Amino acid sequence: MIDTEQWSKTLLEKLQAHFGDHLVFAGIQGSRARGEARDESDIDFVAIFETLDASIIRQYREIVTTMERSDLACGFVGSRTALAAWPHHELIQFVNDTKALHGSLLDIVEAPTKSEARQAAAIGAAGLYHAACHLCAFDSMQNPDQNYDATKALFKNAVFTMQVHCFAQGSNYPHSRAELEHILERQGCNEEADILRIGCDEEALRAHSVDTLCDMIISWSERIRALVIREERETDREQVEKLIREAFNNHYVPGCFEHYLVRLMRSHEDFLPELDLVAEKDGVIVGSIMYTKATLTDESGKAKSILTFGPIAIHPHHQRKGYGKALMERSFERARELGYDTIVILGNPANYVSSGFVSCKKHNVHMEDGSFPAALLVKELVKGALETKDWTYRYSSVMDIDEAEAQRFDDALNPLEKRWQPSQEEFFILENASL
């Protein structure tokens, strides 16, 4: 197998000797950059010049033809100006998948944002949806001999869209299939994990019918495209409270009080309507997140205004699909826009560490009694926001609800079964365990 590193180094030296400073960037991307190449895999080389015309492209081509296995060479050739003017949502993979050998892409283009990644994921999912529908309806009948190649390409493109979608939802960009698999397993994204597994296994791909494979892509891409995140409207309130009640029932205690809490929150001075978001799929609200103001006070007595969210709820029928993470990530962006730099919550670390939350002790954030609960988690929206100080956390007074009033409120609603389940003991342990 060809030594990609040495091959790229040799080509770079030849290009620099010929073009000098006119070559502003060079890199390698694709399977060879990810360490996933086979013997006959393409060598995706990226060359960016100060300016570009047919003469420069011809000279570039002539240099490439002097290379060993030049028949494997492919990639991107362009100019600084053209790349700088490229639609940003189309650069997510280009920027993240390219291993720099000379120069930096971020000297030419700005780092892609999460919003642009969401746009790219939606466009990618729409393309996959159309391709899968067309393959299932027409190509599998008209070109049966090409079914394997068509489904293989479909699943390969699905993996690329998954990489962008994971990045859009707040994960670090997964540069390799192994990194993507780790993220999907950690988040419990079984549908995506199955697509990745089958797409990387030729035997598994051949073992399934075209209809089954297309159905997997259609279902997944439809879900990715269909989720809408927006601010809660007054007409949503009853539906949101019902959703929260169903999501939290028996989770922390037999029954729940969270639906009563949100009724109080909306009229409280610490409530932030700009961060009251819902996730909507096919016109139905499937998730909700709400924020209130909180404070951190340092050892000198100086108070800092921060945020806490809760409840965050996903309807039981839609959990483990990435909707909660999508809500959090959108709210994080909005919170930064509003000028906030820190979020502190009480929650199960297993649900929040993947979204950037860490133990309160890592930032010296404790409760008023000086304790560091295992369930107290901190996220810096702006790196370095908490510095190296000692912080006392105080949540909004709206959280101190009257449980008797909450019970009366719940009793007036349609009854739900109240029972014990293991999650109640799990959170009791976390909430009362200190570090």
Side-chain angles (χ1 to χ4, degrees):
M1 183 170 171
I2 195 166
D3 185 333
T4 304
E5 185 176 347
Q6 184 58 51
W7 191 97
S8 302
K9 180 181 178 182
T10 300
L11 178 56
L12 175 59
E13 290 172 350
K14 290 183 177 184
L15 293 175
Q16 288 179 313
H18 184 81
F19 291 107
D21 291 341
H22 199 67
L23 178 72
V24 296
F25 177 84
I28 191 80
Q29 58 182 206
S31 61
R32 292 188 181 270
R34 297 191 300 268
E36 299 171 347
R38 301 177 181 179
D39 288 348
E40 296 302 307
S41 293
D42 292 336
I43 304 174
D44 294 296
F45 195 86
V46 178
I48 308 297
F49 297 91
E50 194 65 51
T51 59
L52 189 73
D53 56 25
S55 172
I56 291 175
I57 295 175
R58 176 181 54 78
Q59 295 171 56
Y60 176 76
R61 182 182 67 225
E62 290 173 352
I63 293 172
V64 171
T65 58
T66 68
M67 297 292 296
E68 176 190 4
R69 293 304 311 267
S70 61
D71 59 305
L72 297 178
C74 67
F76 182 88
V77 183
S79 71
R80 178 196 291 272
T81 302
L83 194 61
W86 213 275
H88 265 201
H89 70 272
E90 294 186 6
L91 293 175
I92 309 293
Q93 287 175 293
F94 187 83
V95 170
N96 285 286
D97 277 341
T98 303
K99 181 180 178 181
L101 302 172
H102 166 67
S104 170
L105 283 175
L106 296 183
D107 289 336
I108 303 173
V109 299
E110 294 181 2
T113 65
K114 301 292 186 184
S115 177
E116 290 161 349
R118 284 195 297 272
Q119 183 182 7
I123 292 172
L128 287 165
Y129 182 87
H130 171 68
C133 289
H134 196 279
L135 173 61
C136 190
F138 305 110
D139 292 349
S140 60
M141 174 180 63
Q142 298 169 358
N143 305 296
D145 294 339
Q146 300 176 20
N147 285 350
Y148 171 72
D149 289 339
T151 51
K152 182 178 180 180
L154 194 64
F155 273 69
K156 180 179 179 180
N157 289 330
V159 171
F160 292 150
T161 300
M162 279 183 204
Q163 288 176 295
V164 175
H165 186 248
C166 282
F167 176 66
Q169 300 308 314
S171 301
N172 291 329
Y173 186 88
H175 295 281
S176 67
R177 303 280 173 89
E179 289 180 21
L180 178 58
E181 183 178 21
H182 177 70
I183 291 172
L184 296 178
E185 287 182 352
R186 186 179 64 199
Q187 296 178 357
C189 299
N190 298 327
E191 188 178 15
E192 288 89 342
D194 285 343
I195 292 173
L196 176 63
R197 177 183 55 80
I198 293 173
C200 296
D201 185 338
E202 291 190 13
E203 289 187 10
L205 201 60
R206 293 182 185 277
H208 291 78
S209 69
V210 172
D211 285 359
T212 297
L213 295 171
C214 288
D215 190 49
M216 292 176 69
I217 298 297
I218 290 168
S219 174
W220 175 73
S221 60
E222 187 173 38
R223 175 168 61 79
I224 296 303
R225 293 184 305 110
L227 191 68
V228 174
I229 296 177
R230 60 171 176 80
E231 288 187 14
E232 182 191 66
R233 303 172 186 140
E234 188 171 350
T235 52
D236 299 327
R237 291 180 177 180
E238 183 176 347
Q239 187 179 353
V240 168
E241 290 173 15
K242 182 175 183 291
L243 179 153
I244 290 171
R245 186 180 184 225
E246 292 176 357
F248 279 94
N249 191 51
N250 300 323
H251 190 70
Y252 295 132
V253 296
C256 70
F257 298 136
E258 282 76 10
H259 54 305
Y260 175 69
L261 172 62
V262 301
R263 176 71 63 94
L264 300 180
M265 283 171 58
R266 294 191 186 99
S267 60
H268 195 275
E269 61 182 358
D270 291 332
F271 179 64
L272 291 161
E274 307 96 321
L275 292 172
D276 178 8
L277 306 178
V278 296
E280 186 179 68
K281 186 178 185 298
D282 300 329
V284 177
I285 293 174
V286 297
S288 166
I289 188 170
M290 298 183 180
Y291 279 77
T292 51
K293 298 175 187 176
T295 58
L296 288 177
T297 305
D298 66 19
E299 57 268 36
S300 69
K302 184 177 180 181
K304 173 187 182 71
S305 182
I306 63 160
L307 298 173
T308 188
F309 66 71
I312 175 172
I314 302 298
H315 192 277
H317 294 164
H318 295 277
Q319 292 175 3
R320 311 298 288 176
K321 294 181 178 180
Y323 296 165
K325 195 172 183 67
L327 269 171
M328 284 192 287
E329 288 300 326
R330 186 69 61 85
S331 72
F332 296 162
E333 288 183 19
R334 186 75 61 85
R336 289 188 190 96
E337 292 170 359
L338 293 172
Y340 291 95
D341 60 26
T342 305
I343 300 173
V344 177
I345 63 170
L346 278 166
N348 188 331
N351 296 332
Y352 300 105
V353 169
S354 64
S355 294
F357 284 88
V358 300
S359 167
C360 60
K361 200 156 191 178
K362 289 191 174 181
H363 289 294
N364 295 314
V365 174
H366 53 77
M367 303 300 286
E368 293 184 74
D369 62 2
S371 65
F372 294 90
L376 189 64
L377 306 173
V378 178
K379 178 181 175 66
E380 286 187 323
L381 294 172
V382 177
K383 189 174 181 179
L386 297 182
E387 302 174 344
T388 54
K389 295 183 178 180
D390 183 80
W391 300 99
T392 299
Y393 171 61
R394 294 180 178 86
Y395 50 76
S396 171
S397 60
V398 73
M399 300 295 177
D400 296 320
I401 64 172
D402 183 325
E403 293 190 8
E405 286 295 325
Q407 188 61 61
R408 280 191 285 272
F409 175 78
D410 187 70
D411 288 343
L413 303 174
N414 291 331
L416 294 178
E417 180 188 9
K418 297 180 181 181
R419 57 183 170 81
W420 180 88
Q421 61 185 33
S423 61
Q424 297 167 18
E425 185 65 21
E426 180 183 356
F427 191 73
F428 178 85
I429 293 170
L430 284 170
E431 189 176 29
N432 289 278
S434 294
L435 302 173

